[in-house]
Amino acid sequence: MFIRSAEATAYLPVGGTGFYLGKFSGVHVLATNHHVCPVENDCVGGDASFRILNKSFRMTKMFLSIPDIDLALLQIEIPTQDEAAMAKVAKNFSFNRQIRKGQELLTIGFGVGGNPQNFMMANQDSDCKVFSATGEYRHMADPDEFNPAGYKAWSFAHACDISHGDSGSAMIDRKNGDVVGIVWTGKIPKSAMVQSSANLQKIFTGSTPAVWKELSYAVPAVKIKEVLKKYASDSQTEFQTQTLTKALVR
């Protein structure tokens, strides 16, 4: 599960992270954050580099970039000879999995915190778990004080170590490898109260207001499904995008 997740993770030239969902309606689909690829010109034409596999693929189209779920979906061109290898690492969102408190998580990305050379980094320590209540999601503003996004996104709270550059990483259930969401932001700089496991455990057991103010936040797959279904059923959606979203969330 860990190896598959790492192999499916790509470094994007804008300094973010993406991950491979699979082939849908004949299209190879990469997911990342809206704030990583807010408009087509920011990413299309660049290469998504799957460093563990030592493969790079050109991003050729952006289907959607949606602030409410901080998600962008892009097409990548995978040559026929590489399709079998990529099919082995593909993993779509687990759209029907509710987030539960205490759910153990794994993140893999290219965050720059303590990592100026942009090596791939993973987090699966004891603090990397869901802190918000089971099934509790909030449409919240970005608490990042250094580089805040100018919109709200659906969120659940967690305490995985993330930093700038991890944006667009998959949120993975550590038990079974399900993709249960996507990283989007966190409170930066971190306050002293969340810099020790002992304090984090107090927050976890006490359900304090710090859960929604001081931690890190990801968009749950169940909310991503709700929004994508609207695009799939909207006659105004570009035809290929509508077809793709239908295939993703069916």
Side-chain angles (χ1 to χ4, degrees):
M1 178 271 291
F2 184 96
I3 293 170
R4 184 215 64 78
S5 301
E7 290 177 337
T9 300
Y11 177 77
L12 304 187
V14 288
T17 301
F19 56 98
Y20 180 57
L21 298 182
K23 189 176 184 180
F24 302 88
S25 299
V27 175
H28 295 283
V29 183
L30 182 84
T32 187
N33 284 141
H34 161 76
H35 75 262
V36 172
C37 299
V39 296
E40 192 168 61
N41 288 344
D42 288 326
C43 291
V44 170
D47 288 344
S49 299
F50 294 84
R51 291 181 174 178
I52 300 298
L53 295 175
N54 195 30
K55 297 180 184 294
S56 292
F57 305 114
R58 184 63 48 91
M59 293 177 282
T60 56
K61 180 176 180 176
M62 187 165 73
F63 296 101
L64 295 167
S65 189
I66 310 169
D68 249 6
I69 49 174
D70 202 29
L71 178 73
L73 297 176
L74 298 113
Q75 179 176 0
I76 54 175
E77 290 295 335
I78 298 179
T80 303
Q81 64 268 24
D82 290 322
E83 285 194 336
M86 294 305 295
K88 292 178 181 178
V89 306
K91 191 79 169 177
N92 193 9
F93 287 103
S94 294
F95 287 118
N96 298 318
R97 285 284 307 278
Q98 290 285 355
I99 300 298
R100 66 185 189 279
K101 185 173 182 176
Q103 187 172 1
E104 295 179 333
L105 302 170
L106 163 69
T107 66
I108 302 175
F110 297 93
V112 298
N115 181 34
Q117 294 175 305
N118 283 118
F119 292 123
M120 177 183 281
M121 303 288 284
N123 183 211
Q124 54 175 348
D125 62 28
S126 60
D127 299 324
C128 190
K129 60 186 178 183
V130 177
F131 272 59
S132 46
T134 297
E136 181 185 10
Y137 314 121
R138 295 192 182 184
H139 196 233
M140 63 178 286
D142 188 352
D144 185 342
E145 295 180 7
F146 287 162
N147 188 29
Y151 53 86
K152 294 181 178 181
W154 285 104
S155 309
F156 68 89
H158 64 89
C160 304
D161 294 325
I162 63 168
S163 64
H164 296 129
D166 284 314
S167 294
S169 301
M171 297 298 300
I172 301 159
D173 185 311
R174 204 189 314 165
K175 297 288 188 182
N176 56 28
D178 283 353
V179 180
V180 296
I182 187 170
V183 166
W184 90 278
T185 192
K187 174 66 161 55
I188 300 175
K190 294 292 184 188
S191 67
M193 70 184 299
V194 299
Q195 293 185 30
S196 76
S197 291
N199 286 342
L200 283 171
Q201 186 60 26
K202 291 178 182 178
I203 294 171
F204 180 79
T205 57
S207 297
T208 70
V211 168
W212 290 105
K213 295 181 179 179
E214 302 291 342
L215 299 179
S216 296
Y217 305 96
V219 182
V222 291
K223 284 295 183 182
I224 293 173
K225 180 180 181 179
E226 286 181 12
V227 174
L228 291 184
K229 284 182 71 175
K230 293 177 183 177
Y231 283 87
S233 61
D234 187 349
S235 61
Q236 299 302 309
T237 303
E238 185 257 345
F239 179 75
Q240 189 179 28
T241 300
Q242 186 180 39
T243 302
L244 174 68
T245 50
K246 283 180 180 179
L248 277 170
V249 300
R250 66 183 177 190

